[in-house]
């Protein structure tokens, strides 16, 4: 989902936060919210090592790349107001709570995602994802925009992912830190 250069930049920028323990940085790809989703997620260290490579160490950073199809949709209510679909209540809050239990105090959760279109409407899940993470015990730190492009001479040329809808030019990276105990 994220361009390779962005994953490399994330790995290198956050490596110094934890004493250079690259193996304690976990990268997962979330492609569905069905029961048992945790068992189906591709999950490796940032260096591509299997998770048993970090045995005995608590992961200090979790990068979760969220496929757009797993993101909450907005559906109209009878009153005409909008609310998030049921998948949000079941999937993302639980995911954020499990991530919080896994990470130590001050551990980092990075959620990488992008917008999508449903029936011509732009669906922007960032507010819902931030709310889910905060409810689970994370402190919101930052929103980073990752441009899907590459330099050609002195110009930036679009380079969207293969499965991206027309017009996609960026992904969003939300950064959170885990809060444990009294703040």
């Amino acid at each position: 989902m994220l361009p390779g250069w962005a994953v490399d930049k994330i790995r290198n920028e956050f490596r110094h936060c934890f004493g250079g323990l690259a193996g304690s940085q976990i990268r997962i790809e979330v492609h569905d919210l069905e029961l048992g989703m945790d068992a189906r997620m591709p999950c490796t260290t940032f260096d591509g090592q299997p998770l048993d490579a970090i045995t005995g160490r608590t992961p200090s950073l979790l990068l979760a790349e969220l496929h757009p199809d797993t993101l909450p949709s907005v559906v109209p209510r009878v009153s005409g107001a909008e609310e998030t679909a049921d998948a949000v209540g079941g999937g993302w809050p639980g995911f954020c709570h499990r991530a919080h239990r896994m990470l130590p105090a001050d551990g980092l959760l990075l959620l990488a995602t992008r917008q999508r279109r449903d029936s011509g409407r732009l669906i922007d899940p960032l507010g819902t994802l931030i709310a889910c993470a905060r409810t689970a015990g994370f402190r919101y730190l930052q929103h980073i925009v990752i441009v899907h492009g590459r330099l050609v001479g002195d110009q930036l040329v679009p380079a969207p992912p293969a499965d991206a809808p027309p017009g996609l030019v960026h992904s969003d990276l939300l950064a959170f830190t885990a809060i444990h105990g009294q703040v």
Side-chain angles (χ1 to χ4, degrees), residues 35 38-39 42 54 56 76 93 104-105 107 117 123 127 156 164 182:
L35 289 175
D38 295 350
I54 64 168
R117 293 198 182 274
I123 304 299
L156 188 60
Q182 295 295 85

Side-chain angles (χ1 to χ4, degrees), residues 8 19 27 39 52 129 180-181:
D8 290 342
R27 179 180 178 194
D52 58 5
L129 291 173
H180 293 282

Side-chain angles (χ1 to χ4, degrees), residues 97-170:
H97 280 282
R98 289 187 301 275
H100 187 265
R101 284 193 304 267
M102 182 180 81
L103 292 169
D106 297 327
L108 293 177
L109 172 64
L110 303 177
L111 298 177
T113 189
R114 61 183 194 236
Q115 299 168 337
R116 72 166 198 259
R117 293 198 182 274
D118 280 346
S119 303
R121 291 181 57 195
L122 183 65
I123 304 299
D124 185 351
L126 300 184
T128 301
L129 291 173
I130 291 168
C132 289
R134 289 186 67 175
T135 300
F138 287 98
R139 179 180 295 127
Y140 174 73
L141 298 175
Q142 190 171 20
H143 173 195
I144 302 166
V145 174
I146 298 173
V147 175
H148 291 281
R150 65 183 195 296
L151 281 175
V152 175
D154 63 349
Q155 294 185 355
L156 188 60
V157 176
D163 65 341
L168 177 80
V169 295
H170 79 281

Side-chain angles (χ1 to χ4, degrees), residues 57-72:
R57 287 191 288 187
T58 300
S60 52
L61 181 142
L62 173 61
L63 169 62
E65 295 180 73
L66 315 178
H67 191 278
D69 291 344
T70 66
L71 299 174

Side-chain angles (χ1 to χ4, degrees), residues 6-16 22 25 46-47:
V7 174
D8 290 342
K9 182 83 169 160
I10 292 166
R11 179 185 63 231
N12 292 329
E13 289 295 319
F14 291 104
R15 182 180 301 227
H16 73 279
Q25 298 175 344
F46 268 61
D47 294 330

Side-chain angles (χ1 to χ4, degrees), residues 32 34-43 98:
D32 71 77
E34 301 300 321
L35 289 175
M37 66 186 261
D38 295 350
R40 288 187 301 277
M41 284 187 233
C43 188
R98 289 187 301 275

